[in-house]
C-alpha cells in the first residue's frame, strides 16, 4: 500500500525551534542584564532548556495549563539565576518577562532549509498535515511566519495539536486523529518527527509508518523496529517509496 499522506512534527522538524530559541533567549538575557550571572551563554541556555523540558512535560501531561507552564519557567529560571524573590513573582509579571523573551525569539524564526523544498515536492501527490504537542494557534503562526503554511492549506490545513485534541504524543489517539483528518487509514500515512521516543515510536505503535529525523546522527535505529531514520528531510521522498 503506497503512502498517501504525510504528517509532520513542527518544532525541530520543519521549524528550527532550537536555533530560534537560542538566538532569542540570549538576546533577551542581554537586554535584561542577566547574562553576566552565568559563566558563559551556554550555561544560561542549558539551564533554560532544562527548565523548559520539565515544565513543558507538565503541560503536555495535563498537569498545568500552557500559560501556567510559561509562568513556571520564568520563576524557576530567575530563582536559579539568583533572584531570591522570583518564586513569588505575580503571574502578570512572569507573563510580561516571557512575552519579552518571545519577541526576541520570534524575531529569529526560521524554517530549516530542507523543509520548503520537500513539502513542495510532496504536496502534489500527498495529503499533508501536522500532529504537534502544542497549541494550534502557536504552531500555525510558526508555519505562516516561515512560509510553510501554504503547503498544508492544499490538504485542508490539517493541524492536530495536543492543546485542542486533549492528549499528547506519544498517545496513539493524537496520531490517529491526524490520519482521520487527512481522510486516510494509519497504514497509508507516514509520520516524521525529530524525537525518537515521542514521535517515531509513538507513530509506529499507532500503526503509522514512522520516520525519525535524526539531524545530528545521534544513533542508529535497531534493525526490524519499524522505524526509518533520516539525516535530512531531503531523504524523505525517496524513503517513502523505498
Amino acid at each position: 500500500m503506497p503512502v498517501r499522506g504525510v504528517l509532520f512534527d513542527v518544532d525541530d522538524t520543519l521549524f528550527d525551534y532550537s536555533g530560534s530559541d537560542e538566538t532569542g533567549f540570549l538576546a533577551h538575557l542581554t537586554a535584561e542584564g542577566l547574562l553576566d550571572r552565568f559563566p558563559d551563554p551556554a550555561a544560561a541556555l542549558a539551564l533554560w532548556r532544562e527548565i523548559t523540558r520539565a515544565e513543558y512535560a507538565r503541560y503536555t501531561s495535563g498537569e498545568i495549563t500552557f500559560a501556567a507552564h510559561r509562568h513556571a519557567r520564568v520563576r524557576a529560571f530567575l530563582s536559579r539565576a539568583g533572584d531570591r524573590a522570583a518564586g513569588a513573582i505575580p503571574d502578570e509579571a512572569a507573563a510580561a518577562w516571557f512575552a519579552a523573551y518571545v519577541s526576541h525569539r520570534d524575531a529569529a524564526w526560521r524554517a530549516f532549509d530542507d523543509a520548503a523544498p520537500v513539502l513542495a515536492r510532496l504536496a502534489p501527490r500527498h495529503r499533508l498535515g501536522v500532529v504537534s504537542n502544542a497549541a494550534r494557534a502557536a504552531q500555525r503562526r510558526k508555519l505562516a511566519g516561515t512560509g510553510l503554511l501554504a503547503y498544508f492549506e492544499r490538504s485542508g490545513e490539517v493541524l492536530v495539536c495536543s492543546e485542542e485534541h486533549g492528549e499528547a504524543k506519544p498517545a496513539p489517539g493524537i496520531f490517529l486523529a491526524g490520519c482521520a483528518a487527512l481522510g486516510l487509514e494509519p497504514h497509508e500515512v507516514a509520520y516524521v518527527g525529530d524525537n525518537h521516543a515521542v514521535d517515531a515510536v509513538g507513530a509506529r505503535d499507532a500503526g503509522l509508518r514512522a520516520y525519525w529525523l535524526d539531524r545530528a546522527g545521534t544513533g542508529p535505529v535497531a534493525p526490524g523496529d519499524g522505524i526509518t531514520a533520516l539525516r535530512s528531510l531531503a531523504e524523505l521522498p525517496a524513503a517513502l517509496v523505498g
Side-chain angles (χ1 to χ4, degrees), residues 89-104:
I89 292 175
D91 286 350
E92 294 80 2
W97 195 96
F98 199 94
Y101 146 68
V102 165
S103 68
H104 288 287

Side-chain angles (χ1 to χ4, degrees), residues 10-102:
V10 175
D11 294 332
D12 289 327
T13 296
L14 298 172
F15 174 79
D16 186 6
Y17 179 85
S18 293
S20 302
D21 179 60
E22 177 176 354
T23 299
F25 184 66
L26 295 180
H28 176 55
L29 290 192
T30 299
E32 292 286 315
L34 293 172
L35 198 54
D36 60 1
R37 297 190 185 186
F38 298 88
D40 52 50
L45 185 64
L47 175 60
W48 179 244
R49 289 185 170 168
E50 174 193 333
I51 291 167
T52 297
R53 284 191 295 270
E55 298 302 334
Y56 202 77
R58 294 176 64 206
Y59 156 65
T60 57
S61 70
E63 180 182 342
I64 57 177
T65 67
F66 188 71
H69 113 276
R70 286 184 162 190
H71 303 160
R73 285 164 66 183
V74 172
R75 293 185 183 109
F77 180 81
L78 293 178
S79 292
R80 292 178 64 177
D83 186 342
R84 295 183 180 180
I89 292 175
D91 286 350
E92 294 80 2
W97 195 96
F98 199 94
Y101 146 68
V102 165

Side-chain angles (χ1 to χ4, degrees), residues 111-173:
F112 285 106
D113 292 340
D114 54 10
V118 167
L119 292 175
R121 184 172 173 185
L122 294 178
R125 296 187 179 182
H126 298 80
R127 302 178 199 177
L128 304 181
V130 159
V131 170
S132 174
N133 282 357
R136 187 181 190 278
Q139 301 306 67
R140 189 180 188 280
R141 279 202 313 123
K142 292 172 187 174
L143 295 171
T146 53
L148 300 182
L149 186 62
Y151 299 107
F152 297 97
E153 291 174 337
R154 301 175 187 179
S155 302
E157 202 173 298
V158 172
L159 307 179
V160 179
C161 295
S162 59
E163 175 82 3
E164 293 76 18
H165 177 70
E167 65 179 345
K169 301 177 294 184

Side-chain angles (χ1 to χ4, degrees), residues 3 5-10 13 129-133 160 169 174-175 179 186 189-195 198-204 208-213 228 230 236 240:
V3 173
V6 185
L7 293 168
F8 291 89
D9 172 55
V10 175
T13 296
V130 159
V131 170
S132 174
N133 282 357
V160 179
K169 301 177 294 184
I174 192 168
F175 292 104
C179 296
V189 179
Y191 187 82
V192 185
D194 69 294
N195 187 303
V198 172
D199 294 324
V201 173
R204 179 201 65 191
L208 287 72
R209 304 190 189 190
Y211 294 81
W212 175 36
L213 182 59
T228 300
L230 308 171
L236 180 62
L240 293 177

